């Protein structure tokens, strides 16, 4: 039975250009500009939250936006947390986020429901330091200034990495910055380290401006989610559209793994990423994702994230993450612990 819910332009571009690239929130059709993407086909409009180079780009590249039986309106956001604010407000029916934004949203008692998942390599989740930094291991962060986006997947990766090294956030100086501001602070030497995700990780490494202190491998769950508005799931026509939408995304993810170079070209064009950075990010993280079931293991790992943030009083209190999960679209997917895909050794 379903669980019912309660209720990047990145070759070190100038900060202004990066902020413009990642600005939210703009509406676009499946054809790249205003209106619907089905020429009037169907009576249902699915409002989808997206990020640059996200769901719309990959669905289009994989040919999965052809002959949709419903309309799609796209809204673009800088990251997962503001997207989930829109889901809570009912302005967005579904959107893709990392493993931590749903925890913050659920902790705030937002109206959200996790409905689909992928599992990927966590090599792109990294704590970066300048290339000439004296820091050699995570424990060296004691007393240092580390930037991270609040409520992002990197936020938990930072906490988990510190815990593994015997530290807590109180042992470092945490600076809460969105990626554009963090990039500027990192490249100007105003911070000692930056906890971030791909494609920023690949950007910094490709530009030779930094190196990896530690990655999320072994400390984070590598999950990404599709999160829907409960009201949309209660609408039978939108429920069918959501079912079809997540199925198309799963096929598109398979296409990405099989066509990394082709997807990297599309991703680079859509985001302004240099092609080599895009390809590195595909092979390091994006292309490694495999669609998986929303199962007990996935819920338990997200509960661990929620409890960690509750212990640190970074969310209002404890809650049961399972109350915000609905597994009706699991189909016959493999377990959430299934190995991520791999192209061999991750780019250095």
């Amino acid at each position: 039975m379903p669980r019912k819910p309660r209720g990047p332009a990145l070759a070190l571009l100038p900060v202004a250009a990066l902020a413009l690239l990642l600005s939210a929130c703009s509406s676009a059709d499946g054809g790249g500009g205003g209106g619907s993407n089905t020429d009037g086909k169907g009576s249902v409009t699915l409002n989808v939250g997206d990020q640059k180079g996200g769901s719309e780009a990959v669905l289009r590249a994989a040919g999965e936006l052809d002959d949709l039986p419903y309309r799609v309106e796209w809204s673009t956001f800088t990251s997962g947390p503001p997207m989930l604010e829109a889901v809570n407000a009912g302005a967005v029916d579904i959107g893709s986020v990392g493993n931590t934004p749903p925890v913050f949203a659920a902790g705030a008692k937002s109206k959200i429901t996790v409905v689909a998942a992928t599992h990927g390599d966590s090599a792109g989740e990294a704590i970066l330091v300048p290339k000439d930094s004296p820091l050699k291991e995570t424990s060296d962060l004691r007393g240092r200034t580390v930037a991270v986006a609040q409520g992002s997947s990197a936020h938990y990766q930072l906490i988990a990495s510190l815990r593994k090294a015997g530290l807590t956030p109180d042992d470092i100086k945490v600076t809460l910055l969105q990626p554009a501001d963090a990039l500027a602070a990192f490249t100007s030497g105003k911070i000692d380290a930056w906890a971030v995700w791909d494609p920023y990780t690949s950007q910094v490494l490709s530009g030779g401006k930094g190196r990896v202190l530690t990655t999320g491998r072994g400390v984070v769950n590598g999950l990404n989610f599709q999160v829907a508005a409960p009201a949309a799931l209660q609408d039978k026509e939108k429920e069918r559209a959501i079912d079809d939408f997540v199925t198309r995304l799963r096929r598109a993810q398979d296409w990405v793994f099989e066509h990394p170079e082709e997807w990297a070209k599309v991703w680079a064009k859509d985001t302004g990423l240099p092609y080599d950075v895009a390809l590195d990010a595909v092979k390091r993280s994006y292309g490694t994702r495999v669609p998986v079931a929303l199962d007990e293991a996935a819920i338990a790992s997200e509960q661990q994230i929620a409890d960690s943030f509750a212990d640190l009083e970074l969310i209002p209190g404890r809650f049961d993450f399972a109350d915000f999960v609905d597994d009706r679209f699991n189909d016959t997917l493999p377990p959430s612990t299934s190995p991520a895909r791999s192209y061999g050794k991750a780019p250095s």
Side-chain angles (χ1 to χ4, degrees), residues 12 128 183 186 194 200-210:
L12 295 179
L128 305 174
L183 175 61
F186 184 82
W194 182 18
Y200 299 99
T201 298
S202 294
Q203 169 207 2
V204 170
L205 297 180
S206 177
K209 300 297 184 181

Side-chain angles (χ1 to χ4, degrees), residues 41 44 61 64 132 160 174 217 233 260 268 289-290 330 339:
K41 293 181 182 179
V44 177
E64 291 292 345
D132 59 355
V174 177
R217 285 178 169 174
L233 294 171
R289 297 173 186 169
V290 58
N330 265 359

Side-chain angles (χ1 to χ4, degrees), residues 56 71 87 113-114 124 135 167 183 244 252 264 276 279:
E56 181 182 5
R71 299 158 60 97
V87 172
T113 306
V114 177
L135 307 183
L167 302 178
L183 175 61
D244 178 80
D276 61 335
L279 185 58

Side-chain angles (χ1 to χ4, degrees), residues 220-336:
V220 299
N221 60 23
L223 296 175
N224 283 267
F225 298 110
Q226 290 292 320
V227 181
L233 294 171
Q234 292 165 8
D235 181 309
K236 291 300 182 184
E237 290 186 326
K238 283 198 172 184
E239 178 195 27
R240 285 193 290 270
I242 289 172
D243 189 4
D244 178 80
F245 184 78
V246 298
T247 299
R248 290 172 185 265
L249 279 175
R250 289 165 181 162
R251 291 198 299 258
Q253 188 65 56
D254 293 339
W255 178 88
V256 166
F257 178 70
E258 295 163 0
H259 303 84
E261 292 85 3
E262 188 173 347
W263 167 238
K265 290 177 183 177
V266 174
W267 199 14
K269 182 178 179 180
D270 198 66
T271 62
L273 285 162
Y275 171 75
D276 61 335
V277 172
L279 185 58
D280 280 355
V282 170
K283 292 187 174 182
R284 180 177 282 110
S285 55
Y286 197 105
T288 70
R289 297 173 186 169
V290 58
V292 295
L294 281 171
D295 55 18
E296 295 300 329
I299 292 170
S301 65
E302 287 296 297
Q303 188 67 54
Q304 183 178 19
I305 296 175
D307 292 345
S308 295
F309 280 112
D311 289 342
L312 294 169
E313 298 183 347
L314 293 174
I315 57 176
R318 293 182 178 275
F319 61 91
D320 188 347
F321 190 80
D323 291 344
F324 295 86
V325 173
D326 190 318
D327 63 7
R328 72 179 74 178
F329 305 123
N330 265 359
D331 298 324
T332 56
L333 292 171
S336 64

Side-chain angles (χ1 to χ4, degrees), residues 20-43:
L20 179 62
L21 168 67
L22 298 176
S23 63
C25 153
S26 62
S27 211
D29 71 335
S36 74
N37 65 347
T38 57
D39 297 323
K41 293 181 182 179
S43 60

Side-chain angles (χ1 to χ4, degrees), residues 10-228:
L10 300 162
L12 295 179
L13 287 180
V15 175
L18 183 62
L20 179 62
L21 168 67
L22 298 176
S23 63
C25 153
S26 62
S27 211
D29 71 335
S36 74
N37 65 347
T38 57
D39 297 323
K41 293 181 182 179
S43 60
V44 177
T45 297
L46 197 63
N47 298 299
V48 180
D50 201 12
Q51 298 181 52
K52 280 288 186 180
S55 296
E56 181 182 5
V58 71
L59 288 168
R60 181 169 305 287
E64 291 292 345
L65 287 182
D66 300 337
D67 302 320
L68 284 177
Y70 46 88
R71 299 158 60 97
V72 174
E73 293 288 343
W74 302 92
S75 297
T76 307
F77 297 84
T78 56
S79 61
M83 186 188 301
L84 294 191
E85 290 177 11
V87 172
N88 175 58
V92 165
D93 295 319
I94 189 169
S96 302
V97 298
N99 62 1
T100 304
V103 167
F104 272 74
K109 297 185 175 10
S110 296
K111 298 175 182 177
I112 64 158
T113 306
V114 177
V115 295
T118 61
H119 178 233
D121 193 332
S122 298
E125 297 274 350
I127 299 177
L128 305 174
V129 295
K131 194 170 184 178
D132 59 355
S133 171
L135 307 183
K136 302 300 182 184
E137 53 190 32
T138 310
S139 59
D140 294 335
L141 290 173
R142 185 184 299 272
R144 302 287 185 156
T145 300
V146 184
V148 67
Q150 183 172 17
S152 66
S153 58
H155 200 167
Y156 180 69
Q157 191 259 331
L158 173 60
I159 290 170
S161 295
L162 291 172
R163 183 168 57 213
K164 185 177 180 181
L167 302 178
T168 73
D170 289 338
D171 294 315
I172 66 172
K173 300 172 184 176
V174 177
T175 299
L176 300 175
L177 295 175
Q178 286 297 310
D181 294 328
L183 175 61
F186 184 82
T187 55
S188 65
K190 293 180 179 178
I191 56 177
D192 297 303
W194 182 18
V196 72
W197 58 91
D198 252 336
Y200 299 99
T201 298
S202 294
Q203 169 207 2
V204 170
L205 297 180
S206 177
K209 300 297 184 181
R211 58 181 171 80
V212 172
L213 186 69
T214 188
T215 74
R217 285 178 169 174
V219 295
V220 299
N221 60 23
L223 296 175
N224 283 267
F225 298 110
Q226 290 292 320
V227 181

